[in-house]
Amino acid sequence: MNRTMNLEQRTALTGIGFVTPTVIIIALILIYPIIQSVVLSFGQSSIDGSEPYHFVGLQHYAKLMGDSQFWNALGVTFTFTALSIPLELALGIGLALLMNESFKGKGLARLAILFPWALPTALNTLIWRWMYNSDYGLFNAVALQSGLADRPINFLGDTSLAMGSMVVVAVWKTSSFMALIILAGLQSIPKDLFEAGRMDGMTKWQEFRQITLPLLKGPILVALIIRSMDALRTFELPFNLTDGGPVNATESLSLYAYKVIFDFLDFNFGAAVVVVQFLVIFAMSLIYVIALRNKD
Amino acid sequence: MKFTFKGAAGIAAAMALCAPVMATAQDLVMSIGSRGYGGMVERNIKAFEAANPGTSVEWLKVSDVPGDSRKLYVTGLTAKSPTPDVFAIDVIWAGEFAQRGWLEPLSDYLGADTIAAYNPSFLSAATVDGKVFAAPLYVDGTHLFYRSDLLEKYNIPVPKTWEEVIAASKTVMEGEGNPQLYGFVSMWAKIEGLFMNWLSFTGANGATFFDADGNVAVNSPEAIAATQTMVDMIYKDKIVPDSILTMKPDDARTLFQQGRAVFMMVQDFVYAPLSAADSPVAGKFDFTRNPYFEGHPDGHSTAMGGWLLAVNANSEHKEAAAKLVEYFTSYDAQLAAALDENRAPGRTDVYAAPEMEKAALLKKLGNDFAVGVVRPSATTGNLYPRISETMQTEITNALHREKTVEQALNDAETEINSILGK
């Protein structure tokens, strides 16, 4: 009896020993900057040291509430997330079902589907920027020569088209990531469930609705959490594709924070933007986590 | 063991011997882009080292993209790093860096006549509270490039005014009947270059950023009229492609070089690629000063840019660093840079040099600087990046017709006043 207790204790101790270094590293590189950002956002200081740090309370947050560029950035971020995630999910499920079937050239198809995701976002974005170009871009050349358009379409320079153009790039790139996670879920569904379904005379659609989809709930939620967090802090995409333009139509929160911090060198106000963004993402994750828990 | 000990002792002895020499030697670090000033950096450093025995200069090559080198400098300067001792700064940073106390005033080191020789509008960008904080190294500005062959074909004299540019564009576009040919291109993406463009247009109509009393005057009637012309060029005159709203300088250059534009307003760096042997427009283009609006022949329409040299306020060798700056901006060194590397001198007396007759191109560029307009970076200092961002946003609002020109510029005035705390 005593021996088992000791073994348990020892196991626990070993576990703690293994976890401690990781916890320390996470605390240093993750938690410290978060605390530092919060501290910065409640104070005023100058980066050249001419003005030492002093507490100003909610001053930066009050300014934020009246800052139209911040509200615009928040709106852009939500719009981008709300438009891209459902499309990515739908396309991701479709691709996963496709990849799960056995057909000739399956390996090649899987490779092709994963390719956009494997490329760095910045590189992807530059390729797309070139294709969207209204003077020498691929899309306009096709549209003009086939007679679909009688004048060049300015995909990235038109305020009403830029967001859509950006969503297309995001969907193209990250649907395959969704597909990958969902595919893993698909392959863990026991085959005998489908056999049983077929014996009961289920159609393909009924199989999908009543077996596949309910059992995919977990993987789908995981994919949604990861992708939503990505979308809520999207930076490389607007930075490289449009630089937030035209007229801030694609300026995401991250891009706005970047400009405040690195162009205006206003670290305190920039920290306030970052803290709000942190809270938004935190709230979003909480909603998902609660949804996940209810499932179990 | 014994061997290692002997070795260490030898090194220690050698270091002891060197120590007195090290103390008197001055090792300067100079930071400038590897392309920006061409082959002149190495030439000047060698000559400077020869003339100042005991002083060595290490060249720290930084990015030629201003935003990147700016971030590098800001990080080091914030941490009070003593190096680089001398660094090249974009004209628009001078006011901000000086206000933040990062630059050593050069007035204490350079003679009054040296300072008097520098380009005055550039010098004003680097002057804070009556003190000069940086010395102009080279100047560049925007010019109106045009297709001389096309203007000749339609018997159109080189236009002097925006009215003439618009009329000429229409004549050539109609005459050529090529839907791929545009009248005018420039950099109207939401970048610093857009603000430069706007200053060219409004300056050409006699408008200024601040009025005589120092009030923000971005929404003066002259500025509104000039901005309206920009909007009309896209939607009414249709001489400008929609894509101009996403163009950066090199995008405009590419179109012009492909023979797809009659006029282009950009900086002088495009001259070399346009006149290269394999350029389709080589020998078919020329440039002139940026147009003015009818009735404003004195309008300051050449948006100026360029680089200055400054001394780090935390440098441990300020005296030697200032000497290096003086050497780079000396008459002889600047003349050599002009003749051999086509860099427009930052001092005005060089333009009068007899040798400059041979540098016809540079002389022509320099003439346009007489009607130069600098960005309001000296007066606004560390608030300048935010002001530029506001102007870029509101000008873009007007160009996209999200707001009327008047509304956009009124909003810009309100916003800038709030940034300036007025």
Side-chain angles (χ1 to χ4, degrees), chain B residues 9 103 107 155 159 222 264 302 387 403:
Chain B
L103 308 182
S107 331
N155 275 323
E222 293 80 15
M264 166 173 72
T302 307
I387 287 170
K403 293 180 182 174

Side-chain angles (χ1 to χ4, degrees), chain A residues 149-225:
Chain A
D150 52 0
R151 46 176 305 175
I153 304 162
N154 202 352
F155 291 102
L156 300 176
D158 188 319
T159 39
S160 53
L161 292 177
M163 175 58 85
S165 307
M166 189 164 91
V167 168
V168 168
V169 182
V171 171
W172 179 77
K173 180 179 160 60
T174 45
S175 294
S176 49
F177 170 73
M178 286 263 196
L180 201 63
I181 294 183
I182 294 166
L183 179 64
L186 269 181
Q187 287 178 340
S188 69
I189 300 176
K191 294 275 175 289
D192 40 0
L193 285 179
F194 293 104
E195 265 170 41
R198 240 167 279 142
M199 287 174 85
D200 286 342
M202 272 181 142
T203 63
K204 274 272 172 201
W205 175 243
Q206 280 172 325
E207 267 181 25
F208 177 71
R209 283 286 295 131
Q210 288 167 28
I211 304 174
T212 315
L213 213 51
L215 288 171
L216 277 181
K217 213 171 167 186
I220 286 176
L221 274 171
V222 170
L224 278 179
I225 290 183

Side-chain angles (χ1 to χ4, degrees), chain B residues 147-158:
Chain B
R147 286 283 299 280
S148 41
D149 58 332
L150 287 176
L151 292 190
E152 244 164 63
K153 184 174 168 187
Y154 293 92
N155 275 323
I156 304 168
V158 177

